[in-house]
């Protein structure tokens, strides 16, 4: 009885706190129970300036509203008492699985179990969802044993099929949709892991127990209409009377974006939103909108839109030629001719200036002279369905409106702040053919690299590879070498984080990034330069420059050496 009483009175504390960029901190803990206890405590009693909380394998990341708030959080976190027990009472979920994954044989070799042994080991035990992350519906499941412990791939795939059943470290998971990923693929399922039309979108959330059942084939349920699919289709009769913009051509990729959906990390949902936030705000100011109104983000030019009813527009971001063509039947329609009797002609309008696009006129956004992304704002904002409080398209999770398509009609909303439009504004310089310098602070896992690697990170020009997208910029150059081997337990991360996979080529996370990751973050681009990073085009060059870290220095309840050099800190199962 005395031993039991002594154990009950044991005080659990945060081991250490590391800065993650300038607006977040990472609290390190001894294990899952302490992680869940801290997450529960922070959700029930938020710290001053706290925006979001994300639990992971051995850490809890806390996002703050400002760098000053982030600096104050270290002392608060180290003083918290985590002795309160945490209960997880989830139901049992069965997931039918066809074991034919691309990495099944390799997992059999790595574990020594062989293909049949892997199938037996995976399907014969109960898995428990410990935490969510990476993407909505992606649950990190812990098994009853460590027989299937395997490392991540040395280089992540750019696209993992939806429904892929995978392993990494001591975890198993199911990819809810097509996305990048570095886990070992052992099978596939037709189960819908994430569905916004359900009361509980995630099929298996933290606390649920899961059994994988081996089957010869899977039945994929027809997708129910998600929140992102509730808008009427292009050409819908109900939309024909709406006033707004019709998409003539979407160009390379055009998306609806606002300032993003924040505070949903626990669901595995990233913020998304405009990559160049300053340009979105500028475009909205110019047409008299709220700065957070939804607009069109387009890349590399080619977007063409036609006014349905008279509209007030502005284009900000990457400087491009803006041309306006008259309605296609202007010359044959006497009512559309000007008073002079001469047919209407093509005209041009300037960037960062409000202008009228009259009914039937067509605006074309040309290829950027510099930069990469432009933002087309319409007075009233784009009236699209909001999902989790935002109209942004999240390309990683599929949440929000689908990419724009030819023939689609975007209705104008009523999200205005002023009865008048704004004055023309000056724009900053945008990246061109030269090298773009981005300021970084050391990442939470900079200690996985020696000084030579840090010098290599900042001492060379990195080229943006074509595989880059809104999830992250893949960079090419001389690979970085880690000074520490092993696997890093998955932990929360932020936009601007520079992850380094084992192959050594960095990935710079952007707004649609997975909210957790298992590769060490060597540095983080300072928040106010993320807009600039978003404008570096494919094939452009980046050079990183280290600046002093304004966030708290690592603070620990034990000597730093015992926290950073112990091998127990480097593998997911410990």
């Amino acid at each position: 009885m005395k031993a039991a009483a002594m154990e009950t009175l044991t005080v659990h504390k945060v081991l250490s706190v590391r800065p993650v960029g300038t607006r977040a901190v990472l609290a390190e803990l001894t294990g899952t129970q302490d992680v869940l206890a801290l997450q529960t405590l922070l959700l029930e009693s938020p710290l001053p300036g706290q925006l979001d909380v994300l639990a992971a394998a051995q850490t809890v990341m806390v996002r703050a509203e400002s760098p000053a708030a982030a600096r104050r959080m270290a002392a608060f976190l180290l003083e918290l008492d985590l002795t309160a027990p945490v209960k997880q009472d989830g139901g049992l979920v069965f997931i039918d699985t066809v074991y034919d994954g691309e990495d099944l044989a390799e997992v059999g070799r790595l574990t020594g179990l062989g293909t049949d042994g892997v199938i037996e080991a995976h399907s014969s035990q109960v898995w428990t969802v410990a935490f969510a992350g990476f993407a909505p519906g992606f649950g990190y499941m812990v098994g009853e044993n460590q027989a299937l412990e395997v490392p991540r791939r040395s280089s992540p795939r750019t696209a993992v099929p939806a429904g892929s059943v995978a392993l990494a470290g001591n975890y198993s998971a199911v990819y809810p949709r097509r996305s990048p990923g570095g886990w070992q693929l052992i099978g596939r399922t037709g189960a819908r892991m994430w569905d916004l039309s359900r009361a509980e979108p995630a099929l298996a959330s933290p606390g649920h127990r899961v059994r994988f059942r081996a089957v010869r084939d899977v039945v994929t349920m027809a997708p129910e209409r998600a929140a992102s699919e509730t808008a009427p289709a292009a050409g819908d009769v109900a939309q024909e009377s709406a006033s707004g913009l019709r998409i003539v051509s979407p160009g390379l990729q055009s998306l609806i974006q606002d300032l993003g959906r924040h505070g949903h990390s626990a669901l595995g949902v990233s913020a998304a939103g405009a990559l160049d936030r300053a340009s979105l705000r500028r475009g909205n100011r110019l047409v008299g909108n709220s700065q957070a109104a939804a607009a069109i983000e387009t890349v590399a030019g080619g977007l063409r839109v036609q006014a349905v009813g008279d509209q007030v527009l502005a284009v900000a971001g990457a400087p491009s030629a803006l041309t306006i063509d008259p309605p296609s039947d202007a010359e044959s329609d006497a009512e559309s001719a000007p008073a002079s009797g001469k047919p209407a002609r093509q005209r041009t309008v300037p960037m960062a200036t409000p202008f009228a696009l009259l009914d039937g006129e067509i605006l074309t956004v040309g290829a950027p002279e510099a930069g990469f992304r432009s933002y087309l704002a319409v007075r009233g904002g784009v009236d699209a369905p909001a999902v989790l409080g935002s109209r942004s398209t999240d390309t990683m999770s599929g949440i929000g409106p689908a990419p724009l398509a030819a023939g689609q009609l975007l209705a104008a909303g009523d999200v205005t702040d002023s009865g008048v439009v704004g004055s023309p504004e000056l724009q900053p310089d945008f990246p061109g053919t030269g090298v773009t310098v981005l300021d970084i602070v050391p990442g939470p896992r900079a200690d996985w690299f020696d000084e030579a690697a840090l010098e290599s990170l900042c001492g060379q020009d990195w080229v943006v590879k074509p595989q880059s997208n809104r999830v992250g910029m893949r960079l090419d150059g001389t690979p970085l070498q880690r000074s520490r081997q092993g696997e890093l337990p998955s932990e929360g991360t932020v936009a601007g984080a520079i992850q380094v996979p084992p192959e050594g080529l960095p990935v710079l996370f952007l707004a649609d990034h997975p909210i957790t990751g298992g590769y060490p973050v060597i540095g983080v681009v300072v928040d106010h330069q993320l807009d600039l990073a978003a404008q570096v085009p494919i094939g452009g060059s980046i050079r990183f420059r280290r600046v002093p870290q304004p966030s708290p220095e690592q603070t620990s309840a034990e000597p730093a050496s015992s926290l950073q050099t112990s091998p127990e800190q480097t593998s997911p199962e410990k």
Side-chain angles (χ1 to χ4, degrees):
M1 293 295 293
K2 289 184 178 180
M6 289 289 289
E7 184 177 353
T8 301
L9 295 175
T10 300
V11 178
H12 291 244
K13 294 285 188 178
V14 171
L15 294 179
S16 69
V17 179
R18 298 170 182 255
V20 185
T22 57
R23 293 174 179 261
V25 292
L26 193 71
E28 295 185 297
L29 301 117
T30 56
T32 303
Q33 287 303 309
D34 283 357
V35 165
L36 296 175
L38 178 57
Q39 181 190 44
T40 300
L41 187 59
L42 293 176
L43 292 176
E44 293 178 349
S45 303
L47 297 177
Q50 175 180 311
L51 290 181
D52 203 2
V53 176
L54 176 60
Q58 297 177 4
T59 59
V60 173
M61 189 178 74
V62 188
R63 289 183 56 250
E65 63 185 9
S66 68
R71 289 194 294 270
R72 291 191 295 266
M73 284 179 175
F76 282 118
L77 289 167
L78 290 170
E79 293 173 357
L80 293 177
D81 182 355
L82 308 177
T83 57
V86 177
K87 295 183 179 179
Q88 287 188 303
D89 299 320
L92 180 62
V93 176
F94 290 93
I95 298 179
D96 291 343
T97 303
V98 176
Y99 288 96
D100 60 358
E102 293 181 30
D103 302 317
L104 181 59
E106 175 65 8
V107 172
R109 185 188 68 79
L110 290 170
T111 60
L113 298 174
T115 298
D116 291 340
V118 170
I119 297 172
E120 172 63 22
H122 192 259
S123 61
S124 65
Q125 61 179 305
V126 175
W127 298 80
T128 301
V129 182
F131 58 93
F134 180 70
F138 190 100
Y140 288 77
M141 306 178 196
V142 180
E144 297 171 315
N145 57 61
Q146 300 176 7
L148 293 176
E149 180 184 339
V150 290
R152 294 175 177 82
R153 291 169 53 87
S154 61
S155 178
R157 290 181 171 92
T158 57
V160 174
S164 294
V165 178
L167 296 168
N170 200 37
Y171 298 99
S172 186
V174 180
Y175 283 81
R177 71 186 304 270
R178 181 182 175 88
S179 59
W183 289 36
Q184 307 279 4
L185 307 184
I186 62 171
R188 55 190 169 89
T189 179
R192 292 183 61 78
M193 302 304 296
W194 175 262
D195 188 343
L196 280 167
S197 68
R198 296 192 297 239
E200 295 292 334
L203 179 64
S205 54
H208 277 103
R209 294 169 298 127
V210 174
R211 282 293 298 267
F212 291 90
R213 294 188 296 205
V215 297
R216 294 183 180 277
D217 199 1
V218 295
V219 176
T220 302
M221 300 299 292
E224 300 180 51
R225 289 180 67 85
S228 61
E229 300 169 340
T230 56
D236 193 306
V237 175
Q239 289 280 303
E240 288 303 312
S241 61
S243 173
L245 299 174
R246 188 175 302 283
I247 307 301
V248 177
S249 172
L252 183 61
Q253 183 184 62
S254 294
L255 306 169
I256 297 173
Q257 297 292 347
D258 55 21
L259 290 180
R261 51 182 64 83
H262 301 275
H264 300 290
S265 293
L267 292 175
V269 178
S270 64
L275 294 190
D276 183 349
R277 298 158 298 180
S279 291
L280 174 76
R281 291 188 178 103
R282 182 177 299 112
N284 277 323
R285 280 197 306 271
L286 289 166
V287 297
N289 287 347
S290 161
Q291 293 189 27
I296 299 175
E297 177 184 273
T298 187
V299 299
L303 172 66
R304 302 186 73 216
V305 299
Q306 183 177 39
V308 178
D310 295 346
Q311 306 298 329
V312 176
L313 309 178
V315 181
S320 309
L322 306 178
T323 58
I324 296 177
D325 291 298
S328 58
D329 60 348
E331 293 187 61
S332 61
D333 188 349
E335 294 184 2
S336 66
S340 64
K342 296 180 180 179
R345 296 181 181 277
Q346 185 184 79
R347 70 183 193 276
T348 62
V349 292
M351 293 284 299
T353 300
F355 60 90
L357 191 70
L358 303 180
D359 185 31
E361 290 185 325
I362 296 175
L363 169 70
T364 300
V365 179
E369 301 165 8
F372 194 51
R373 292 179 168 88
S374 300
Y375 294 82
L376 170 59
V378 56
R379 182 166 174 80
V382 175
D383 186 14
V387 180
L388 298 177
S390 170
R391 293 177 170 85
S392 286
T393 299
D394 183 343
T395 60
M396 176 74 176
S397 68
I399 292 176
L404 302 187
Q408 183 176 357
L409 176 61
L410 300 181
D414 56 2
V415 188
T416 56
D417 269 356
S418 172
V420 296
V421 298
S423 300
E425 295 188 17
L426 294 176
Q427 293 206 113
D429 293 331
F430 288 87
T433 56
V435 178
T436 301
V437 178
L438 298 177
D439 290 339
I440 65 170
V441 294
R445 302 300 170 185
D447 57 339
W448 279 57
F449 304 86
D450 58 21
E451 187 60 28
L454 293 171
E455 291 179 358
S456 179
L457 174 69
C458 297
Q460 61 176 300
D461 297 340
W462 298 95
V463 178
V464 180
K465 299 170 69 174
Q467 294 86 350
S468 301
N469 51 35
R470 284 181 49 91
V471 174
M473 300 170 71
R474 291 175 175 256
L475 306 178
D476 197 14
T478 302
L480 305 178
Q481 300 296 320
R482 297 182 186 178
S483 60
R484 179 180 298 188
Q485 301 303 315
E487 289 288 305
L488 177 70
S490 292
E491 59 189 25
T493 189
V494 297
I498 305 169
Q499 273 200 344
V500 183
E503 66 176 1
L505 295 178
V507 179
L508 171 58
F509 277 167
L510 298 180
D512 292 359
H513 68 90
I515 63 169
T516 60
Y519 299 128
V521 173
I522 189 173
V524 182
V525 175
V526 296
D527 186 77
H528 67 270
Q529 286 203 323
L530 290 178
D531 295 342
L532 177 61
Q535 291 292 357
V536 180
I538 301 297
S541 296
I542 291 174
R543 179 174 285 258
F544 297 114
R545 177 175 61 191
R546 276 192 282 183
V547 296
Q549 171 62 277
S551 296
E553 295 181 356
Q554 178 180 335
T555 310
S556 61
E558 301 178 19
S561 59
S562 67
L563 292 172
Q564 295 188 26
T565 61
S566 171
E568 284 78 10
Q569 298 285 330
T570 65
S571 57
E573 76 279 10
K574 300 295 179 69

